[in-house]
Each structure stands twice: as C-alpha cells, then as structure tokens.
Amino acid sequence: MDIHELTLLTDLYELTMMQGYFKCQNNETVIFDVFYRENPSGSSYAITCGLAQMIDYIKNLSFSYEDIDYLRSLHIFDEDFLEYLAGYHFTGDIYAIPEGSIVFPMEPLVKVKAPMMEAQLIETAILNIINHQSLIATKASRVVYAAGGSGVMEFGLRRAQGPDAGTYGARAAVIGGCDGTSNVLAGKMFDIPVLGTHAHSWIMSFEDEYTAFRTYANFYPDTCLLLVDTYDTLRSGVPNAIRVFQELHDAGQKPKTYGIRLDSGDLAYLTKKARKMLDEAGFQDAIISASGDLDENLIASLRHQGAPITSWGVGTKLITSSDCPAFGGVYKLAASKKNGETEFTPKIKISENPAKITNPGDKTIYRIYDKATGKIRGDLICLTTETYDPACDLTIFDPLATWKKSTITGGSYELRELLIPIFVKGQCVYELPSVMETRSYCQEELNTLWDESRRLLNPQNVYVDLSEPLYQLKNQLLDQKHKTTEGRNK
C-alpha cells in the first residue's frame, strides 16, 4: 500500500464524528493517549514499533480530489464539511516513546495533543500501525531470546496477512532482534539484510539430490546452505551435502557461510546425528539451520534437548504472532481545553473493570533505573507538571494495591523521561534512526530487563506505578462521577 494514500485508512465513525464536531463548532484542543492493557504472548513487556510509518502517515495526511468525491458519493457529508476536509492538514503536537523501546501496560506509547477534529481523524490509522508492528517486534524478541540471542531469520512473508503485514512485519521483526528477512521488498524499503537458501523444489527439479546440491554450490559458493530433508535426511541429504563440501574444500574453495538446513522431522534427533556426521567429516564449522513451524517455545525446547542448531528460520508463527494475533492498543481521551482556556481539564473513562479505567490528564512517563546495574526498577506515570530529583528518596506504590510500596534511596537510581516530541505544531521535529540502528537500540533496551522478566513462562512483571498527584486526581474524578451518578438516581 502506498504510504501517501492512507488518508481514508480510517473508520467511518471518525469522519461522522468529525462532521458533528464541525457542525457544533467544537474544535477544542484535546489530549489522546495510545496505550495497551495487557502484554502479548504471556510476556512481561512489549516493544513499541511503527513510529516511522506513523510519521510518514501524518506528514502525508491530506484529502485528494478523489477522496472528496468518494466521500461525497456516500451522501452523508455536507459540502461545507467536505470543503473543510479538502484543506485539512495536521497542526497539532505528537509525543511518542521511541521505536524499539521496552514498554509496559497502561503507559502512553503515543500522546496526541491537537484540535479535536484533527485528533479524531488519526485514531484508527495510528492504532493500526502501532498495534501491528509492536505485536510483531515483541514476538520476534521472544523468539530471538529463546534462540540464545541471535541467529534468527524472519521468513513468513507467504503466510502473512497480506503484503503490508508481511513487509512492515519483517521490519518490526528485525527491530525485535531478527538478523534479517527473506522479504526482498522489505530489504529494499528499509535497508535491512535479506537472507535465504533454496526450496525443496530446487532439489526435485534435478535428476538426483547430489546434482542439485552441486549445481547450487557452483552458483553460490560463498553462501552454500543446503536443504537436506527432501528425501532422506541421514541416508541421503547429509551425505550428499558432505560430498559437495568436500569437493569445495578439495578445490580450494572456502565458503563464507556453509552448512545444512532441516525443515521437517524430529529436529532434535536429526540435528544431533547430522552434527556428528559433519564433525567426523571434518566440517565442524558447518552451520545447522532449522525451520518448520517454529516459535519461541519449540526453539527453547529444542535447545533444552541439546539440539546443535545455530541458525533458525521462523515464519508463520512469528509474522502472524499466532498465539496472540492482536496487540490491543487503544486511543482514549485524557484531557481537553476549550478555546481561550489556559489549562487542560482532565477526562476519565470509567468501567466496572478496574483495568479499563483510564488515567486522566496530561501525562508523561519516567523510567527508574538501578544506578549500580542499569536494570529497570519500575516506571512512573505522572503529570507533566511534576518534577523529580534522583538525589532524593522516591516512594512508589502499586495503584491497585496501594499498600504495596517501595522507597528507592536517593542517589541509587536514575530517571529517563520516555515520551519525546515527534511533531510540534504539525511539523516533524524528530530525526528517525535507521532500522538497524533501532535494532541495536532495542537490544540495549532488552538488556535493561532483569532475567526474571525475560523468561518465557511466568515472567516477573515490571512495576508501573502512578505518581501520588496523578493517583489523587484519578480518585478525585472517580468520586465526582460517583456523586453525580448518585444524584441522578435519587
């Protein structure tokens, strides 16, 4: 999909609400927060991703003549509103946590501060972009962690839910830690490594397996990774691969990368046997790569069984995040300010489910790091008017179980504000790093998690607390709503 043609990538009700605001002459300045409530895939964290595409979307957000003609054809929009849309451009402010950052539930990943009509229009596209790419980046980080920290190739394009999901998903997977992708378009668009070998059809197109291997090695002597499970892995595939490697060696050819790949069967058993055969033939440095419906749990199990696999090809279950197909980010109103007013009025959404009650006001996030280890102690969501001095003691508490408190000694911790300006008055002020730079940053971020929070099963959650002023504001608004409801019911 052309990034320059995403203006109508929105839900119809965003436009009908916009027309309602337009007719009511209600274009007060508002603050919307993008956040999620639950970590995906049983993780204790997520990785925020998609900021680059969101920036492109906002920069190119305008209604073409064709867009206006289409909306006119729906017979639900008046000409004065369509005229307004024809001159639309974003004029607000956007803050966001940089791509590749570790994030936790209820934290604003993106904060939009703009006139109501402008803020309303961009809701759907921002959620679509941030939700999908954050989901895949998080899944990739778990897969890479299970694989020991490296050696994972993303190659799920043919199983992705469409070209965009496959291409932007590949980008997110590399940010999450994958070494590269099989997706050539993603390689071109994002300047990321493209990797791959050959399919079973290559083997089957020749009269015999050895000839297929030998021909492939002749064409690609520097990257000779041979798929050995087309017929019989141990009786045919591995012996024929060894024969080709020996011929290359005898001819004085030393591939930069060489080895075998298995895509089926008992990967633990077969790779152990294959490793022994390769070693006995003198090819101790040959790679053993595995693929075939892998995910982080199967990879962890294979490594636990001692499978000597050093390279992993992960497709379907990564690019679709098959165990958790949706990220669940939401876009909620947090504050508003009428024209002429100087202060924002905090807004709160109430629910019988405490987890769905929103945090009101104009907020920011401070990450608390242990000074001695560099590890995350917790995150503090607070109002933008608050200031903190790391030289002073800091008491944090669980906003749902307030008796759970912890005081961090002054001088033993460091603070970092997570939300940074991306757009100011409609102009982008943020310089995007490359995908590979973002990948390196993401690895640094992951290293700030304690080991207990990175384990795949039952990880220790990281504390995300509300500041005392924000906690009091939230409860004050809840009390006000309760009293208003009581009064109406009398």
Side-chain angles (χ1 to χ4, degrees):
M1 183 178 293
D2 187 345
I3 189 64
H4 297 93
E5 297 180 1
L6 296 187
T7 300
L8 294 186
L9 185 69
T10 189
D11 291 306
L12 179 63
Y13 79 171
E14 309 288 15
L15 291 166
T16 56
M17 285 190 289
M18 282 182 73
Q19 179 166 252
Y21 295 135
F22 179 83
K23 295 293 187 180
C24 296
Q25 296 185 339
N26 176 8
N27 204 22
E28 61 186 358
T29 302
V30 294
I31 296 174
F32 277 93
D33 293 333
V34 175
F35 63 92
Y36 70 100
R37 298 187 179 99
E38 186 175 343
N39 290 313
S41 300
S43 177
S44 73
Y45 66 89
I47 294 172
T48 185
C49 195
L51 179 58
Q53 191 185 13
M54 188 193 80
I55 290 173
D56 282 343
Y57 162 71
I58 297 294
K59 281 182 175 180
N60 294 286
L61 189 57
S62 64
F63 289 82
S64 66
Y65 294 121
E66 292 79 7
D67 293 336
I68 298 299
D69 285 344
Y70 170 72
L71 293 177
R72 183 179 290 115
S73 75
L74 299 178
H75 303 296
I76 55 177
F77 299 110
D78 295 339
E79 285 300 319
D80 55 350
F81 176 63
L82 293 175
E83 184 177 344
Y84 161 77
L85 291 183
Y88 176 94
H89 64 280
F90 184 76
T91 65
D93 303 337
I94 296 180
Y95 300 80
I97 301 176
E99 279 191 291
S101 296
I102 299 300
V103 291
F104 307 108
M106 303 306 293
E107 298 180 336
L109 311 183
V110 178
K111 179 172 72 173
V112 175
K113 187 182 293 187
M116 173 62 92
M117 286 190 288
E118 297 179 29
Q120 196 73 73
L121 175 64
I122 63 179
E123 172 183 1
T124 302
I126 287 180
L127 288 176
N128 175 273
I129 292 166
I130 299 297
N131 278 341
H132 172 249
Q133 294 188 46
S134 298
L135 178 70
I136 304 305
T138 306
K139 185 67 171 180
S141 74
R142 289 172 56 82
V143 171
V144 171
Y145 177 76
S150 64
V152 176
M153 177 182 73
E154 182 283 315
F155 70 123
L157 177 58
R158 62 190 62 191
R159 301 287 178 80
Q161 282 95 343
D164 280 356
T167 301
Y168 285 98
R171 177 186 184 276
V174 170
I175 287 174
C178 289
D179 293 338
T181 177
S182 66
N183 185 331
V184 180
L185 178 59
K188 176 188 174 185
M189 288 177 62
F190 309 122
D191 193 24
I192 56 180
V194 287
L195 305 168
T197 56
H198 60 79
H200 291 106
S201 58
W202 173 267
I203 310 297
M204 297 165 66
S205 67
F206 289 83
E207 291 185 3
D208 60 80
E209 189 175 50
Y210 163 73
T211 303
F213 286 171
R214 193 66 184 87
T215 305
Y216 190 84
N218 288 339
F219 288 145
Y220 308 105
D222 283 340
T223 54
C224 186
L225 201 64
L226 304 175
L227 183 59
V228 296
D229 66 341
T230 304
Y231 302 122
D232 189 311
T233 299
L234 300 180
R235 295 180 182 178
S236 173
V238 177
N240 279 322
I242 289 173
R243 181 180 173 187
V244 170
F245 298 154
Q246 188 63 56
E247 290 174 357
L248 290 173
H249 178 270
D250 293 344
Q253 293 178 286
K254 175 65 175 176
K256 294 178 182 177
T257 302
Y258 79 104
I260 62 172
R261 178 166 73 93
L262 289 88
D263 190 56
S264 60
D266 186 334
L267 294 177
Y269 171 78
L270 292 173
T271 55
K272 289 176 185 177
K273 292 292 186 180
R275 180 76 273 165
K276 182 178 180 182
M277 294 166 69
L278 288 164
D279 290 351
E280 289 177 348
F283 300 110
Q284 292 86 353
D285 58 346
I287 290 171
I288 295 183
S289 178
S291 55
D293 288 330
L294 299 174
D295 65 5
E296 65 267 42
N297 298 311
L298 181 51
I299 290 173
S301 175
L302 288 168
R303 294 187 71 220
H304 179 72
Q305 295 172 63
I309 301 168
T310 53
S311 175
W312 308 83
V314 187
T316 304
K317 293 186 178 181
L318 167 54
I319 203 65
T320 65
S321 186
S322 60
D323 64 325
C324 180
F327 189 69
V330 295
Y331 188 89
K332 298 298 181 183
L333 182 65
S336 66
K337 180 175 66 175
K338 296 185 183 300
N339 294 334
E341 293 181 346
T342 58
E343 300 293 330
F344 279 97
T345 299
K347 301 287 185 177
I348 190 169
K349 175 189 175 294
I350 297 177
S351 170
E352 292 185 2
N353 181 349
K356 289 194 172 184
I357 299 175
T358 60
N359 293 318
D362 187 359
K363 301 176 293 297
T364 191
I365 312 156
Y366 285 102
R367 179 149 294 166
I368 308 165
Y369 295 96
D370 181 75
K371 205 168 185 178
T373 64
K375 301 294 186 182
I376 298 174
R377 291 289 300 270
D379 279 4
L380 185 66
I381 306 175
C382 61
L383 300 170
T384 56
T385 53
E386 298 179 55
T387 58
Y388 293 90
D389 183 356
C392 300
D393 290 355
L394 177 64
T395 298
I396 56 177
F397 61 91
D398 187 326
L400 297 179
T402 55
W403 64 90
K404 296 181 180 179
K405 296 183 179 182
S406 176
T407 297
I408 306 174
T409 305
S412 70
Y413 67 94
E414 296 176 340
L415 294 175
R416 177 167 73 99
E417 189 171 4
L418 298 186
L419 285 168
I420 61 173
I422 307 299
F423 285 86
V424 175
K425 296 181 179 178
Q427 298 299 311
C428 184
V429 297
Y430 179 68
E431 185 174 345
L432 275 168
S434 70
V435 172
M436 298 309 288
E437 288 171 338
T438 303
R439 179 183 185 273
S440 296
Y441 166 73
C442 183
Q443 300 314 301
E444 294 171 1
E445 281 281 283
L446 287 163
N447 288 336
T448 65
L449 286 170
W450 300 90
D451 290 341
E452 292 83 353
S453 294
R454 292 214 64 187
R455 63 184 178 231
L456 298 178
L457 297 176
N458 300 317
Q460 174 64 42
N461 288 327
V462 176
Y463 298 119
V464 178
D465 299 324
L466 304 185
S467 68
E468 181 69 29
L470 177 55
Y471 178 79
Q472 295 298 338
L473 172 64
K474 186 173 184 177
N475 280 283
Q476 176 186 340
L477 292 178
L478 289 172
D479 288 343
Q480 289 176 0
K481 294 293 184 182
H482 177 67
K483 290 176 181 178
T484 300
T485 303
E486 271 193 335
R488 288 174 180 169
N489 291 336
K490 286 182 179 179

